């Protein structure tokens, strides 16, 4: 024990995982159970006991950061820097192997690795040579198909009819083959090739496989639940000789199937490696007992799991029950979350120890605006703030040009978005004329329509664009700003551009545009909304300091906070209906794993909420609580219901494909606006009354003088103000 002091710092299960050094081992490491400590202690133990030299251990992580942390910890444990380690990400390790044997897969050792832009440019050339209509079959779509094949370890000749794609029917496989041939001719590969070529090398070159198996006496694999098929194949090939493979992971935290991860890899470990030992790490050193009990009860509903139950590893693990708030609508949800955050900060809690974890990125907008209103610093992790996202900036540019024809920056941003044939040459001509005549760009462009300075498609395209702008401005006066902006985004082709985009981000961008329409509906005029956006985007941009974290549940894996807010637990939103439609029961179990990940990010308190009415996608829709709420144990939950709402969710969980009903709640009148459906806010169950005292964050205390639906006239010390009821609170 004196020779290995790190063993004394391990609990019995952790120590068993470290000292089991012969044969296959699966360490099922629950959230907060010390996975990294076990992995690094095992690595150090192999070296210090003389089982292997540093160059005889292959250690695989999913991020460069994790690899650096493991290298530093191992060096600290053994008391010296470790040289010659094979420690890194899948891609980094495969590059090292390929450089040594590149000629065996048709490459030279000096091969280059193409970035995403270069891959797409090369694929466009291949499609053009094959005569493929790239408007009908976008190159990004083919790239996604090829990447899925590579994630599954499929070369062009290995694709069976059952595994073929319906992209450009009958052509995708041959295009893949042409793309691969072109890569080899350029002595290049893409990121998917790094693993695919390595697996192909080991499968087809027995002497290379034997050399690698002799070299690597021990394999250590982190986050095994996140491996895809080609990564799994690579690890199996390397482990066949010594069978000393240790995989550390958590089947209950497998949430990346959309990136190709296969939870089945960890579930079938015992079948792949007969005689494998399984060690379960169930002592959680992060969260309180109620949080762990609730998370364990929730994930126990999944059938596709090996099974483990988290329990507290600390003596001070008692804590508050999980709060579940039933709220009237999404606006009240945002007010509740921001208000609780403000109260926590007044009590001395650091903003950096508070997180709001949402299912979709579009949900962050309401919380961002509320936090700005209260002056609470925040950061959005894993993506830009709502109003900084590319699709939102594009849509705002359309609105700005609609409201102000002299807005040159807005004109430049959207005159060729989506593509209309107004290229760089046309823009140079317009800019030159604008400077010469001291005109805004839009007026200069209109003036050039009658000249020969605009060539090709630019002239008719601009003429049509200006006719549309004129029509939308007339519509603005006649039908209002919400219907007009909805029509403008559709009729300009902007939303259609994202509908046709095959990238995995495109559906989220459309969700963000719908959320933008919801935000517009809160303002009486387009100008009022644009002014509001200009003010909220002035919030301090610095990323350092003590800030509340807003992020999606997917981005939160691996992180922890004292307080975690989990809003939007409603059917259709979470579990996400799009995921259920695409994946059925398998997708439902992954959604439940995502809920489990969210709960186990919390150290001291978890606060869940759902709204009976939500206008996430520009429509007011009544909602029912998520089935996950019914799966939480009552003994660990405190339910808080708004007036007029039941505190408990239905006990009979909906089917995998629920038909979302309105549960008796009233729905507002629907306004048709092109392809968007915008509905008025449902009536509040507790409306404000004339004479009632209210409080506004900016204007202070006031008295309600009139009420019209959700609009109030309130007399403050600074005068009479007309505003929406969601921006005031009862005094």
């Amino acid at each position: 024990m004196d020779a290995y002091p790190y063993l004394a710092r391990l609990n019995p299960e952790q120590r068993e995982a470290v000292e089991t050094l012969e044969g296959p081992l699966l360490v099922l490491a629950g959230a907060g159970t010390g996975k990294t400590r076990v992995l690094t202690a095992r690595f150090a133990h192999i070296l210090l006991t003389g089982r292997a030299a540093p160059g005889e251990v292959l250690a695989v992580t999913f991020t460069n950061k994790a690899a650096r942390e493991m290298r530093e910890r191992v060096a600290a444990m053994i008391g010296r820097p470790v040289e010659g380690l094979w420690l890194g990400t899948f891609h980094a390790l495969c590059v090292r192997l390929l450089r040594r044997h590149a000629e065996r897969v048709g490459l030279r050792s000096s091969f280059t690795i193409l970035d995403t832009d270069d891959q797409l440019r090369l694929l466009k050339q291949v499609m053009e040579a094959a005569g493929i209509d790239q408007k009908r079959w976008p190159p990004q779509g083919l790239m996604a198909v090829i990447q899925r094949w590579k994630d599954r370890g499929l070369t062009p000749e290995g694709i069976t009819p059952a595994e073929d794609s319906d992209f450009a029917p009958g052509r995708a496989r041959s295009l893949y083959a042409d793309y691969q041939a072109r890569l080899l001719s350029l002595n290049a590969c893409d990121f998917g090739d790094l693993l695919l070529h390595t697996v192909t090398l080991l499968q087809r070159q027995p002497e290379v496989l034997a050399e690698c198996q002799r070299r690597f006496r021990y394999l250590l694999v982190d986050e095994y639940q996140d491996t895809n098929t080609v990564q799994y194949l690579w690890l199996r090939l390397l482990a066949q000789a010594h069978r000393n493979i240790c995989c550390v992971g958590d089947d209950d935290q497998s949430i990346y199937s959309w990136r190709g991860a296969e939870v089945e890899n960890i579930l079938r470990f015992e079948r792949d490696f007969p005689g494998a030992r399984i060690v379960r790490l169930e002592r959680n050193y992060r969260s309180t007992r109620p949080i762990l009990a609730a998370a364990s009860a929730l994930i126990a509903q999944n059938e596709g799991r090996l099974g483990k139950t988290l329990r507290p590893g600390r003596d001070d693990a008692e804590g508050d029950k999980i709060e579940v708030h039933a709220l009237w609508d999404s606006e009240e949800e945002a007010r509740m979350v921001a208000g609780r955050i403000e109260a926590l900060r007044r009590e001395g809690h650091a903003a950096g120890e508070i997180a709001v974890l949402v299912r979709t990125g579009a949900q962050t907008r309401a919380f961002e605006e509320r936090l700005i209103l209260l002056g609470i610093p925040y950061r959005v992790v894993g993506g830009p703030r709502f109003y900084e996202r590319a699709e939102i900036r594009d849509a705002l540019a359309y609105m700005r040009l609609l409201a102000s024809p002299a807005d040159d920056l807005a004109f430049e941003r959207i005159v060729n978005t989506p593509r209309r044939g107004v290229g760089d040459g046309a823009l140079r001509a317009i800019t030159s004329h604008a400077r010469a005549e001291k005109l805004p760009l839009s007026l200069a462009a209109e003036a050039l329509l009658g000249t020969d300075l605009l060539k090709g498609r630019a002239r008719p395209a601009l003429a049509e664009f200006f006719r549309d702008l004129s029509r939308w401005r007339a519509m603005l006066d006649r039908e209002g700003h919400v219907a007009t902006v909805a029509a403008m985004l559709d009729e300009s082709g902007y939303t259609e551009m994202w509908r046709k985009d095959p990238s995995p981000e495109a559906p989220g961008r459309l969700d963000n545009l719908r959320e933008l329409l919801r935000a517009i509906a809160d303002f009486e005029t387009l100008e009022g909304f644009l002014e509001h956006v200009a003010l909220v985007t002035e919030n301090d941009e610095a990323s350092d300091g003590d800030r509340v974290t807003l992020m999606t549940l997917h981005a939160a894996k691996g992180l922890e906070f004292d307080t975690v807010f989990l809003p939007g637990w409603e059917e259709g939103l979470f579990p996400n209906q799009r995921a259920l439609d695409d994946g059925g029961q398998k997708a439902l179990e992954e959604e439940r794993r995502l809920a489990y990940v969210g709960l186990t990010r919390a150290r001291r308190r978890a606060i869940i909420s759902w709204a009976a009415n939500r206008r996430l996608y520009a429509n007011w829709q009544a909602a029912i609580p998520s089935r996950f709420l019914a799966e939480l144990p009552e003994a660990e939950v405190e339910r808080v219901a708004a007036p007029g709402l039941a505190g408990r969710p239905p006990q009979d969980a909906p089917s995998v494909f629920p038909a979302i009903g309105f549960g008796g709640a009233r729905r507002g009148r629907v306004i048709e606006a092109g392809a968007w459906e915008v509905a008025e806010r449902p009536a509040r169950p507790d409306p404000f009354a004339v004479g009632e005292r209210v409080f506004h964050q900016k204007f202070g205390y006031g008295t309600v003088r009139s009420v019209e639906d959700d609009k109030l006239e309130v007399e403050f010390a600074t005068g009479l103000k007309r505003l929406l009821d969601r921006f005031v609170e009862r005094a």
Side-chain angles (χ1 to χ4, degrees), residues 633-650:
E634 284 303 311
E636 313 299 344
V637 172
E638 178 184 353
R639 301 190 187 272
V640 183
L645 290 178
R648 288 181 47 81

Side-chain angles (χ1 to χ4, degrees), residues 389-407:
R389 294 166 187 173
E391 65 279 8
I392 300 303
R393 291 172 70 90
D394 287 344
L396 289 172
Y398 269 99
M399 294 182 225
R400 284 162 47 201
L401 191 60
L402 193 65
S404 176
D407 191 329

Side-chain angles (χ1 to χ4, degrees), residues 200-217:
T200 303
L201 173 71
L202 298 179
Q203 290 173 332
R204 298 180 182 177
Q205 304 290 336
E207 65 278 15
V208 177
L209 176 61
E211 176 191 334
C212 291
Q213 290 174 340
R214 283 193 301 272
R215 170 185 290 273
F216 302 123
R217 298 176 56 83

Side-chain angles (χ1 to χ4, degrees), residues 305-327:
R305 62 190 297 260
L306 295 172
K308 63 184 176 305
T309 302
L310 294 180
R311 61 183 188 276
R314 309 190 325 248
D315 294 333
D316 58 341
E318 284 302 322
D320 298 336
K321 291 183 177 182
I322 290 176
E323 296 178 32
V324 176
H325 289 257
L327 298 158

Side-chain angles (χ1 to χ4, degrees), residues 84-327:
L85 291 179
W86 281 75
L87 166 60
T89 64
F90 280 98
H91 291 101
L93 294 172
C94 284
V95 168
R96 288 180 66 179
L97 285 172
L98 275 181
R99 295 283 184 204
R100 296 180 177 214
H101 306 285
E103 72 285 347
R104 293 177 181 262
V105 294
L107 294 167
R108 297 185 298 280
S109 60
S110 59
F111 65 83
T112 58
I113 304 168
L114 301 186
D115 62 21
T116 303
D117 288 341
D118 287 337
Q119 293 171 33
L120 198 58
R121 190 175 301 113
L122 182 61
L123 194 59
K124 287 178 179 178
Q125 295 173 8
V126 169
M127 295 177 71
E128 186 175 350
I132 300 295
D133 181 355
Q134 295 184 31
K135 289 186 177 179
R136 184 177 181 189
W137 304 105
Q140 296 91 336
L142 180 58
M143 182 59 70
V145 170
I146 290 174
Q147 190 56 56
R148 283 198 298 272
W149 280 333
K150 291 185 178 184
D151 286 345
R152 291 158 58 192
L154 296 174
T155 58
E157 59 271 21
I159 297 170
T160 66
E163 292 163 325
D164 208 345
S165 167
D166 58 1
F167 184 94
R171 305 291 300 278
R173 187 167 29 164
S174 64
L175 290 169
Y176 178 20
D178 293 344
Y179 172 68
Q180 292 300 98
R182 186 83 175 107
L183 283 168
L184 290 177
S185 72
L186 295 172
N187 192 37
C189 57
D190 61 24
F191 280 98
D193 285 327
L194 298 177
L195 276 150
L196 182 64
H197 282 328
T198 305
V199 168
T200 303
L201 173 71
L202 298 179
Q203 290 173 332
R204 298 180 182 177
Q205 304 290 336
E207 65 278 15
V208 177
L209 176 61
E211 176 191 334
C212 291
Q213 290 174 340
R214 283 193 301 272
R215 170 185 290 273
F216 302 123
R217 298 176 56 83
Y218 286 89
L219 273 67
L220 301 177
V221 187
D222 193 13
E223 303 287 6
Y224 189 60
Q225 78 282 347
D226 292 335
T227 54
N228 60 28
T229 301
V230 72
Q231 292 163 343
Y232 158 81
L233 292 172
W234 181 58
L235 293 169
R236 275 199 66 188
L237 285 165
L238 293 177
Q240 284 173 354
H242 294 292
R243 299 181 76 246
N244 292 330
I245 181 171
C246 171
C247 294
V248 180
D250 185 1
D251 52 334
D252 292 333
Q253 295 189 72
S254 180
I255 58 174
Y256 297 126
S257 65
W258 50 278
R259 288 199 318 215
E262 295 281 353
V263 68
E264 287 79 10
N265 292 347
I266 194 169
L267 297 179
R268 67 184 176 213
F269 188 86
E270 288 180 285
R271 295 199 303 273
D272 290 335
F273 300 99
R277 193 165 179 175
I278 295 183
V279 175
R280 288 173 168 81
L281 304 184
E282 299 173 310
R283 301 191 198 194
N284 176 285
Y285 296 93
R286 173 190 301 160
S287 305
T288 62
R289 186 198 57 75
I291 292 171
L292 297 179
S296 294
L298 176 69
I299 201 64
Q301 304 296 318
N302 274 4
E303 296 178 3
R305 62 190 297 260
L306 295 172
K308 63 184 176 305
T309 302
L310 294 180
R311 61 183 188 276
R314 309 190 325 248
D315 294 333
D316 58 341
E318 284 302 322
D320 298 336
K321 291 183 177 182
I322 290 176
E323 296 178 32
V324 176
H325 289 257
L327 298 158

Side-chain angles (χ1 to χ4, degrees), residues 541-595:
E541 297 295 331
S543 59
D544 55 352
D546 190 28
R547 295 175 172 272
V548 174
T549 298
L550 272 64
M551 65 199 311
T552 65
L553 287 159
H554 282 102
K557 186 170 173 288
L559 304 178
E560 56 186 77
F561 305 88
D562 281 347
T563 302
V564 169
F565 291 90
L566 298 161
W569 281 40
E570 298 132 33
E571 286 297 314
L573 181 55
F574 192 40
N576 183 268
Q577 190 62 41
R578 187 185 299 129
L580 298 186
D581 291 343
D582 291 342
Q585 184 67 32
K586 186 176 179 180
L588 173 61
E589 296 211 346
E590 181 157 330
E591 291 286 297
R592 190 177 281 112
R593 291 195 290 270
L594 200 54

